[in-house]
Amino acid sequence: MWGCSLWSVEDRLPAQEHPSFRWPLNRSAILWRYMGLDKLVWALDNRALFFCRSDKFEDPSEGFFTRANALAEDHFVSYQMRNGGFGAPERTSAESLRQGYRMMLSVAQQDRTNTFVSCWHMNENESDAMWNRYAPTPDSISVQTSFAKLQQLLPDQCYLGGINYIDFDTELIDLTNSLNAIVHKERKYAGEREIRAVVWGRAAAGNFPAIGENGIAVPVDLNALVEKVYLHPLANPSCRQRVANLLDRYGLISKEVSP
């Protein structure tokens, strides 16, 4: 679980800093990326990480406000009326506040097409659940790195941090900060212990090659990023040889292949 003892709001490293993104207290925390072998080939060919556009994920609530947010207009208006209005003069009308709230919901929805994400799993060990969900076939692999390495090697247009897992039926996301939606997910995904790298906004995304309508390619030094490559638990000897050949071809021959 993401407990308070795991995270520090203060004393962050200087790069890619944003108050919406929580960083682990242990900057050397181990990260994993589970994928099919074809995705490793793509990354090696492009010398990049694929960042998926947030509205292209299977989860329809990805990068979105909660169901509680959608029903909270009356609460928002009454609160702001009692407290002087949301960024407006004291006598702001209720109708103006309603329009402002609806605009925030609309902006949050539109932002999904300009938000791009690379997902990583934080864990000291391999995870059967992650293999089963994201790399179920025997020719799959997982690459291992650390939070510190990922943070250091990503370009400065990226944000990086851990996900907040909440109840979308009862809890609200603060929509006054446009990045808050992309760092919240439904509580049922808490076992993923996700560290998320994000490129947000059309201007930032324009710095990177588009991969059709599905995402962008963010360049990274894979030789420096990848510490180990793990084979699927059911991988056969030919898969091990294929992975070894790939690493050799792309200059990553020194990387350990496990098991």
Side-chain angles (χ1 to χ4, degrees), residues 12-251:
R12 292 176 176 160
L13 297 174
Q16 305 155 27
E17 186 173 6
H18 190 280
S20 294
F21 288 80
R22 302 181 303 163
W23 286 22
L25 287 176
N26 176 15
R27 304 292 195 266
S28 298
I30 296 173
L31 303 185
W32 307 75
R33 183 81 171 92
Y34 293 83
M35 67 185 84
L37 198 53
D38 59 329
K39 293 184 178 180
L40 175 63
V41 172
W42 183 93
L44 293 170
D45 276 341
N46 291 274
R47 300 180 181 180
L49 297 176
F50 176 71
F51 279 54
C52 183
R53 205 173 86 180
S54 66
D55 63 328
K56 299 295 185 179
F57 283 107
E58 292 180 8
D59 176 10
S61 64
E62 189 70 55
F64 217 26
F65 48 81
T66 67
R67 292 177 287 279
N69 277 116
L71 300 174
E73 183 177 309
D74 289 342
H75 172 77
F76 174 83
V77 171
S78 62
Y79 177 85
Q80 298 301 337
M81 292 292 286
R82 292 195 307 270
N83 291 275
F86 175 60
E90 289 188 7
R91 287 184 290 278
T92 300
S93 69
E95 182 57 32
S96 294
L97 290 167
R98 290 188 185 280
Q99 291 176 6
Y101 189 75
R102 292 167 190 170
M103 182 182 70
M104 285 193 293
L105 294 182
S106 176
V107 168
Q109 186 170 13
Q110 294 169 17
D111 276 347
R112 301 173 75 214
T113 62
N114 293 309
T115 304
F116 301 85
V117 181
S118 175
C119 306
W120 296 76
H121 172 64
M122 188 173 79
N123 202 331
E124 291 298 309
N125 304 295
E126 285 182 84
S127 166
D128 284 342
M130 294 297 101
W131 279 120
N132 292 335
R133 180 167 176 78
Y134 293 108
T137 61
D139 61 347
S140 300
I141 58 94
S142 179
V143 296
Q144 179 188 307
T145 187
S146 69
F147 181 91
K149 283 190 176 182
L150 185 61
Q151 184 272 326
Q152 290 163 10
L153 293 167
L154 286 172
D156 60 8
Q157 293 91 347
C158 299
Y159 300 106
L160 184 67
I163 289 296
N164 303 284
Y165 296 98
I166 63 174
D167 185 337
F168 270 44
D169 287 323
T170 62
E171 296 184 71
L172 301 173
I173 296 173
D174 178 6
L175 297 179
T176 62
N177 185 322
S178 295
L179 279 166
N180 283 341
I182 202 61
V183 295
H184 287 82
K185 290 186 70 170
E186 300 222 42
R187 190 165 289 153
K188 64 183 178 181
Y189 297 112
E192 295 182 352
R193 296 173 56 87
E194 185 178 338
I195 294 287
R196 174 163 285 190
V198 174
V199 174
W200 177 82
R202 186 175 301 172
N207 290 291
F208 308 107
I211 309 301
E213 294 186 349
N214 292 323
I216 56 176
V218 176
V220 68
D221 183 350
L222 293 171
N223 192 51
L225 179 66
V226 176
E227 296 177 351
K228 294 181 182 180
V229 177
Y230 282 76
L231 301 176
H232 190 278
L234 299 179
N236 57 37
S238 66
C239 181
R240 169 182 280 275
Q241 189 59 54
R242 287 177 63 199
V243 171
N245 291 342
L246 275 173
L247 298 184
D248 186 17
R249 186 193 315 166
Y250 291 95

